[in-house]
Amino acid sequence: MSQKEIIVGIDLGTTNSSISVLENGKPKIIKIDGSSSMPSCVSIDDEGNIIVGQSAVNQLLVKPNDTHFSVKRHMGSGKIFSIGDEEYRAEEISAFILRKLREEAQNELGHPVKKAVITVPAYFKEDQRLATSNAAELAGLDCVRLLNEPTAAALAYNPNRGSDQNENILVYDLGGGTFDVSLVTSSEDLVEVKSSHGDTHLGGDDIDELLIDFIIDKAQMLIDRESLSTTQLLRLRRACEAAKRKLSNQATAEISEEYFFNDEHLKIEIFRHEFNELVAPLLEKTWTSVHAALNDAGLVPSNLNKILLVGGSTHMPIVSNSMEERLGITPQFDVNPDLIVTMGAALQAGIIGGEKVEAILVDISAHTYSTGVLENHGGIGCIPIIKRGSPLPCVKSDLFYTTHPAQDEVEIDVYQGESRLPDENDLIGAFTIEDLSTSQSELQPIICEYALDLNGMLKVTATEKNTGHAKTVTLDTRGTQQSLDLTAAKEKMAVLYEDELTDNDSMLDSSSENTAADQIVARAEKTLESDTLGDEDRTEITSLLEKIATSKQQGAPESVSAAANQLDDILFYIE
Ligand code: AMP
């Protein structure tokens, strides 16, 4: 391990985060302050230093306005969080969390940690994925792969390793802020995602909110939630969350807060059946996604072999009970729902780092990507280019025409979503291709190529067919006012962590780029030794290896990493 570059696996959760590394082919969870996971909470201490994890949680009642949790729900949204005199976006708060995880891993492993596989909800959209990789960059981490959480879980679980059985597994992931469901088939050495659905705003936090309203009502407080002070609300939320957890193991739980209203105490008992009634409508929403995922995968409940529960909120007995009732399958209880995602991330990190891991992963796109076009009736419609469920990585293209002969520029609007109507989808990018060759009599054909990489990140290229004149964009956030100014954020980080910044820390360090490319080159050279490799693949690999070697000689790190990424995709398929 000392010679090899370490790639860690990180579960950047809404409520808790964890980090792990592959050791001797097995994921090892790195303890943070003695625990397997750390609260995803950030605050400030009395000296004005940023603090993260349990110590930040401890500040909640002392510094409620400077203490932030569940920021994952706001990734890429542009929402501002203030800490002390500074203002931060969710990406920056997440960067503090990632930095702390990274430091703990470095202390434990005794090596610099610069690369990570980071998990995201399968249903995370383009801007949320980009926000996550920006957060990593701000934390001094190169995010080598964004891995979908349910996929990570299936990869870590894979019950069929070493057997010739094929199984359909439903992965139901209900965490603090997000819900994901994926249908996965697992065979001897392949974990293949068939479909994914979910909701990026549904989780344990919503249950806590329901419980708060319930308690306000049951205690006959005679005030509404808005009239509670910040501290009262925080105390109530904390008590409700603790009661919710208790109700996973007990039939009743008590909410007891002394001197809640000046001299008066708050003491309320809640029964599990009351709690179950409260959360049932919320869980019903998850069933809509479960059925949609089954439908997309072309499966019916009787085709399912196993159910994997992931995420803290699946500790609630009502979740497993409803699985048994509706699908007739008892979920696997031999899995730790809180740690399986980070374990899967470590396995994927191992695969990327060239470790011998007996599993290969095929993931899919959770969304459809389309181009907006002017339709015959004059309205705008969305023409799908990459359909939901397409295996990653994938490249698809379609041919479009300018709308009138003398047109010398065309705007390409890129949408994410399932509808044919633009208003019902997310506009995730728009760009103009100018200086088209014009003709008085003909419409110009434009090829739109969409390339979705293994991280679920999209690159769009529009090329004028007749001239080859092309414009390529890697899509970032949907509106400029929402996107993070990464350079400014990096400067802010550099000031905060001034004493720690060394050359070693710079993720733009070309030697680290080279190491990643070197690992891919080593894999490719090994692949070339195989007798079963097809001629076409052999030629493509050889030409990319040559391109990498030439770009290195020319001192062009960007070309090295572009060619290495292309090579990585090819190897992924072959492997
Ligand atoms: P995660 O995002 O997977 O860390 O899940 C965090 C969510 O799980 C939070 O809303 C927690 O309140 C919730 N949670 C954790 N443990 C339990 C439990 N035993 N019963 C019910 N909810 C829980």
Side-chain angles (χ1 to χ4, degrees), residues 13-16 173-177 203-205 208 241 244-245 248-249 311-313 315-316 337-338:
T14 311
T15 320
N16 296 295
D173 181 354
L174 188 60
D205 290 355
D208 300 343
E241 203 266 339
K244 174 184 77 172
R245 285 176 188 252
S248 290
N249 300 314
S313 298
H315 286 288
M316 295 185 297
D338 302 316

Side-chain angles (χ1 to χ4, degrees), residues 400-416:
F400 297 94
Y401 286 86
T402 49
T403 52
H404 52 273
Q407 187 175 344
D408 64 354
E409 62 173 47
V410 66
E411 187 181 304
I412 309 289
D413 287 345
V414 182
Y415 291 92
Q416 178 175 265

